[in-house]
Amino acid sequence: MMAVSRLIADYQMQRYGSQFDGVAIGAPAFRQAFQQVLHLFSGVVENTNGYDPSPCELEKINNDTIAACDPLDGRTDGVISRTDLCKLNEHWYPLFLSSFSQRRSMNAAPVPAANGTVTSQAVALANDINGGLHDSQGRRVCTSFQPGSGYPDAATTYNTTTGQYQAVASGIGVQYVNLFLKDVNSASLSLDNVTYDTPASGS
């Protein structure tokens, strides 16, 4: 018997099932195909909208979302318990375009210091991501993560050559698509020319 991660276990059992007499799989998940592809959705939204925000801009939106939706359950404790009520008021944010600032970082992925105001493009991006994965006709494929959970899949990297932020494909989504759909062992995946209909068509 072999104890491995869910993603690798699924792949190995499907491809080489005769090699195992049993598998102990951790971190079970339902509707795996939808969930893993959903991790790529934020990057597709960024490319479709033509806007790649700085990390602090989306962090500010998320923090303000928590501040606005936290008390909807009658208790202000830093937790959004009534995500249903928060979703009913998800378009409140454009009324409160607030300022943000980020310190310069010289880690593996350098980020310059910046001060600014949350843009309407970032608000539209957050609303589209919150809306969940859908095709070009608006038909729902999978719901998005709950309000207040952040936008880690929409994380961008700073290109020191162009001086611009750019979208990158989320790692866990990349692994699933490459291993299961493309049958290739690669840690990179381009989202160029990927549309809302691409996951549905299986291309």
Side-chain angles (χ1 to χ4, degrees):
M1 183 171 286
M2 183 179 184
V4 293
S5 71
R6 172 64 186 262
L7 186 63
I8 301 302
D10 281 350
Y11 177 78
Q12 291 180 336
M13 285 300 293
Q14 289 184 36
R15 300 291 182 179
Y16 314 108
S18 62
Q19 303 298 313
F20 302 94
D21 58 3
V23 176
I25 302 176
F30 297 102
R31 300 182 70 84
Q32 188 87 345
F34 291 91
Q35 176 181 310
Q36 302 307 327
V37 173
L38 181 62
H39 284 293
L40 299 175
F41 175 61
S42 296
V44 176
V45 174
E46 288 171 325
N47 286 350
T48 301
N49 289 20
Y51 185 72
D52 301 323
S54 70
C56 278
E57 197 169 10
L58 287 180
E59 182 180 2
K60 178 62 175 174
I61 291 177
N62 189 59
N63 289 341
D64 286 355
T65 299
I66 294 174
C69 295
D70 175 13
L72 294 178
D73 64 345
R75 180 178 181 181
T76 302
D77 54 6
V79 177
I80 301 178
S81 298
R82 294 300 305 271
T83 55
D84 56 331
L85 296 180
C86 189
K87 289 177 180 179
L88 289 175
N89 297 279
E90 65 178 342
H91 296 293
W92 57 265
Y93 198 86
L95 301 177
F96 302 96
L97 299 184
S98 53
S99 60
F100 68 91
S101 64
Q102 65 183 23
R103 293 183 300 175
R104 182 184 183 197
S105 171
M106 294 304 293
N107 295 328
V111 176
N115 293 287
T117 301
V118 173
T119 62
S120 58
Q121 294 100 314
V123 173
L125 180 72
N127 281 333
D128 287 345
I129 293 173
N130 291 341
L133 181 59
H134 58 276
D135 66 13
S136 60
Q137 298 181 46
R139 295 176 297 189
R140 178 79 54 229
V141 177
C142 188
T143 57
S144 190
F145 303 105
Q146 295 299 309
S149 60
Y151 302 95
D153 293 332
T156 54
T157 58
Y158 184 74
N159 188 318
T160 56
T161 301
T162 64
Q164 302 289 327
Y165 288 95
Q166 58 189 36
V168 293
S170 175
I172 192 169
V174 169
Q175 291 179 8
Y176 185 87
V177 170
N178 282 341
L179 287 175
F180 287 96
L181 302 183
K182 294 189 172 185
D183 197 20
V184 295
N185 184 15
S186 174
S188 63
L189 179 69
S190 173
L191 296 179
D192 293 344
N193 301 317
V194 175
T195 71
Y196 294 143
D197 294 313
T198 302
S201 65
S203 58

